[in-house]
Amino acid sequence: MSKKKIEDKASTEKPRVHKDLSGFDIKINSFGEIQMSYDVEKINQFLNKTVDDKKLRNRK
């Protein structure tokens, strides 16, 4: 029974997201395809701007 309570709670709560990504939603359909509300290029631009890449730190 506790498993069902956890699933119900997870489906009603929305996760906290960065203000630049507000409205971002991702789902997987019955065929296993990923469906996103944002374009992949927009997500990549956000990540390039905000996330530090350890491998590229010491390059000039």
Side-chain angles (χ1 to χ4, degrees):
M1 277 209 250
S2 63
K3 188 174 186 180
K4 186 169 183 163
K5 290 180 184 178
I6 293 171
E7 290 175 6
D8 290 340
K9 184 178 180 183
S11 64
T12 58
E13 290 183 11
K14 290 197 173 195
R16 292 180 297 146
V17 295
H18 193 275
K19 66 178 182 173
D20 293 339
L21 293 178
S22 62
F24 176 70
D25 189 31
I26 187 167
K27 295 180 182 180
I28 300 175
N29 67 11
S30 60
F31 298 111
E33 298 171 333
I34 298 172
Q35 297 177 335
M36 294 183 286
S37 60
Y38 278 173
D39 185 34
V40 174
E41 292 299 320
K42 187 173 180 181
I43 296 170
N44 284 335
Q45 288 174 356
F46 171 78
L47 292 173
N48 288 336
K49 182 175 65 173
T50 58
V51 178
D52 183 33
D53 191 352
K54 293 183 219 179
K55 293 180 182 177
L56 301 178
R57 278 185 190 160
N58 298 325
R59 288 192 180 180
K60 292 182 180 180

